[in-house]
Amino acid sequence: MAIFKFDKFSELGTVREVDARTVSILVEKDEYLKKARVGQLVAVELSGASETWLIAIIEKVIRSVSQQHSDSDSSDEKNNEKQEFVVNTVKLILVGTLSWAAIEEKLVFTRSISQAPVITDKCYVLLGKRLEIFMSVLSESEKGTYSLELGTYAIDDTAKAFLDGNKFFQRHAAILGSTGSGKSWTAASILERAAELPAANLIVFDLHGEYRKLSYARQLRIPGPEELGTSSDELLYLPYWLLNAEEMQAMFIDRSEFSAHNQIMAFQDAVFAMKKETFNELAENDWAIRFIKDPPALVPPPPATVKNLSNAIKEALNALTLDSPIPFSLKRVIKTLKDRNEERVQSTRGLKYGQFFGQFSRLLTRLNSKLNDKRYGFLFNAPKSEHSYDSMSKIVSKLMDYTGKNAQIKIIDFSEVPADILPVIVGLVARIVYQVQFWTDQDKRHPLAIVCDEAHMYLPEKAGKNPIEMRAVESLEKIAKEGRKYGVSLIIISQRPSDISTTILSQCNNVIALRLTNGADRSTVNKLMPESLENFLDVLPIMDAGEAIVVGDSVLLPSRIKIQEPKEKPLSATVDFWSEWMEKIEKPDFDKSVENMRKQKRK
C-alpha cells in the first residue's frame, strides 16, 4: 500500500548528506525552497520501500551564493568574469518512521529509525491532506487507554496532542517557562485530567496558594500563627518529632560555632534518650498505650488490641534509632541540655565547671527562640492530639490517602511556612512520603506523584548552600534517582531552571518547555535534550503564552503544542497594571491591611 502520493507541488529536494539523525537536502529550484519553513514536517522517501517513510523536522533553511571565475582559457576579460553559483540546502532532524502494519492493517508511527535514506532519495513537505493523514495517525497512536490529553498541535490545530500517561509519570517530568508563559495552566490542565481517574494520587506543593480554589482537590495547609491550637481536616501540623537527625541539626545547630560538635553530640543523646523514655512510659501504661502522657479519659481498648499494640511497641523499641519518628518532649530535651550546660562537679578543691559548662548557651537560646516564635507553631505548638503514638499514621493518611472525596489530588499550601526553614519542611514532607512508600508491602504499594511548584525556591544547586537549603534537595534527589522503583514520581515546575539542582532535572525524561527568554535558562533546558534537538528549542523566546515544546519518552514526536486551557484556572493570572490604573479611584483600607499583617490572616 502506498502511504503517500506526492505531486510536484509537495516536492522539496533530494538527499545529499546523511548523518545518524540529520539529513541535508539539495533543493534545486528556488520556488521549491519557498515551501520550506523551520519546524515544518517532511517525509523522506526510502528507496524501494513504498510502505515506509521517514519523518523529519526542518531545522534550518540555507541559501548559499558563491562566485567563481569562468573556466574559459580566453584572455578576453568579458569571458573571464566571475559567475554566481547558488546552492539551496535544507537541514532536517529525523524523528521517526511511518509505515504500514499489514497485520494490524493500519498506519503506525514509531520513534525508531531502522533504515537511513540514501543519497538522491526524494523529500516532500507534508502539507494539506497529507499533513492531516500523518497527524491523525500520530493522534491515534498516542490516544489510547493510558493517554493524557494535553492540547492540540501547533502545525495542525485540528489534531489533538496526547501524552502517554504511564511514561509521563514513570520517568519524571519538568514544566519550565518564564513568568506568564502558562506553567500553572499546564499544571492545572494535567491535574484536571488526573482527577478524572478513580485512583489517581498526586500531592501538590503549593508555595503561594495558587491552587487553593480547585474544587476537585483536597485542600491542606500548614497552619498560620492565628490557627495554632486548633484542629481540622484542612490543617496539616508537622510536629518536631517527625524531623530526622539531619533536619534537626539544620534547624538548631550553627556549624560555624567552635562547640558545634559537642552541641550535636549532646543534643542527639538527649533526643534519643527522650524517645526511649516515650517507649518506657507507654509500656508502663498499657491501657493508654497510644499516648505519650496525660491520656484523656477513654474506655480502655480490648485486651487483644492492647496486646497487639504492646508487641508493636516492643518491636519498634528494638529497632529504635535517632531518626525513628517517635513523639518526645522537646522541653525535657532542653532541660537536659540546660543541666549539662550549668553542671558543676566536685573536685579536690571544691566545685568546678563541668565538661560542657557554657558550651550549649547559644544552642539553648536558639531552641527557646524557635519554640516561642509563633511562625514555627506548626512544628512546636501542635495540639496534644498530634503527639500520640499513632499521630504519624494520621498525618500520612492526610498526605497519601486517595480513597476519600477529592482525595485523588492533595494541595498542600506552604505559604505560611517561614522562608528560612521552607527547604527543611518541604524536604520533610517529601521524605515522609517516600519512606512510607518504601516500607509499604510491594503488593499494597500504590503509585503517587509529587508536583513541586516553584521548585527553584527549595531545590537549588548544592554548591555553596547551607545545611537548611540542602534538606529538600537531598530528599528529592533521592526520589528523582530511586523513586521510580517504589512508585514515587516527580513533576518539577519552575521559571528558573538554571537555579535548580542538575541532578534532579537530569532525571526528568519528559520536558514541557514553555516560553523562556533568559539565556541561562534556555541553556539549561538545551542540556536536557538530545543533541539532534538542541536547535529545535531556538523558538522558546518567541512562543506565545500557552504554547510549549514537548519532548521526552511520553510523546512519539517532539512537538510544539498549544496547551488546552483548564476549566478551573489557578490564581496565578498576571495583574493588568495599566487597566487597573485606568479604573475609578477607590479609597484603600490600609488599616485593615496592617491588622491582617499583624494577625497573619486575611479574614
Side-chain angles (χ1 to χ4, degrees), residues 375-520:
R375 295 179 304 155
Y376 307 109
F378 63 90
L379 278 171
F380 305 115
N381 295 309
K384 279 187 178 181
S385 59
E386 302 292 335
H387 293 277
S388 61
Y389 186 75
D390 63 346
S391 290
M392 186 169 181
S393 297
K394 296 175 182 177
I395 293 170
V396 169
S397 179
K398 277 189 176 183
L399 290 172
M400 300 176 64
D401 178 54
Y402 60 94
T403 60
K405 182 181 179 181
N406 292 342
Q408 289 75 31
I409 312 293
K410 277 81 61 178
I411 311 292
I412 306 178
D413 185 349
F414 286 94
S415 58
E416 294 284 359
V417 177
D420 60 326
I421 63 166
L422 177 65
V424 173
I425 304 307
V426 170
L428 168 63
V429 175
R431 178 179 60 78
I432 288 173
V433 169
Y434 173 75
Q435 289 187 342
V436 170
Q437 193 79 343
F438 178 89
W439 289 108
T440 300
D441 293 339
Q442 186 171 357
D443 58 335
K444 299 292 185 182
R445 195 178 287 150
H446 189 75
L448 60 84
I450 299 174
V451 182
C452 300
D453 194 25
E454 304 290 356
H456 53 278
M457 295 180 64
Y458 49 87
L459 297 177
E461 277 286 16
K462 286 185 177 181
K465 300 302 178 182
N466 62 47
I468 287 181
E469 293 175 308
M470 291 299 299
R471 297 282 60 80
V473 176
E474 292 186 352
S475 294
L476 285 154
E477 279 187 356
K478 187 176 184 66
I479 293 174
K481 290 184 285 189
E482 302 177 13
R484 180 179 57 82
K485 294 180 288 187
Y486 307 107
V488 183
S489 174
L490 290 179
I491 298 180
I492 304 298
I493 305 174
S494 177
Q495 58 184 286
R496 290 307 310 272
S498 59
D499 290 345
I500 297 178
S501 163
T502 53
T503 299
I504 293 175
L505 276 185
S506 66
Q507 297 296 319
C508 294
N509 290 350
N510 297 287
V511 177
I512 300 177
L514 296 103
R515 185 178 64 237
L516 274 171
T517 55
N518 182 276

Side-chain angles (χ1 to χ4, degrees), residues 331-358:
K331 290 183 178 179
R332 289 157 80 177
V333 169
I334 292 174
K335 184 179 184 306
T336 299
L337 293 174
K338 187 173 183 294
D339 291 342
R340 299 191 73 177
N341 191 58
E342 298 173 352
E343 183 182 21
R344 292 171 180 264
V345 295
Q346 189 67 41
S347 69
T348 55
R349 298 183 179 181
L351 291 175
K352 68 173 184 178
Y353 294 150
Q355 181 182 5
F356 301 109
F357 187 88

Side-chain angles (χ1 to χ4, degrees), residues 533-550:
L533 294 177
E534 286 183 358
N535 292 335
F536 188 52
L537 298 179
D538 288 344
V539 297
L540 286 179
I542 58 174
M543 291 198 307
D544 198 3
E547 283 190 338
I549 300 293
V550 183

Side-chain angles (χ1 to χ4, degrees), residues 39-57:
Q40 204 165 25
L41 292 176
V42 172
V44 182
E45 178 185 58
L46 288 176
S47 298
S50 61
E51 296 184 0
T52 303
W53 290 78
L54 295 180
I55 303 300
I57 297 175

Side-chain angles (χ1 to χ4, degrees), residues 21 52-56 94-101 104 106-115 134 137-138 141-142 167 555-558:
R21 297 285 299 189
T52 303
W53 290 78
L54 295 180
I55 303 300
L94 298 176
V95 293
T97 304
L98 182 67
S99 58
W100 174 257
E104 300 175 9
K106 67 176 184 178
L107 290 172
V108 175
F109 177 76
T110 63
R111 292 172 60 178
S112 63
I113 299 172
S114 57
Q115 182 179 349
F134 174 70
V137 171
L138 192 63
S141 297
E142 293 176 332
K167 292 179 181 178
V555 288
L556 284 173
L557 180 73

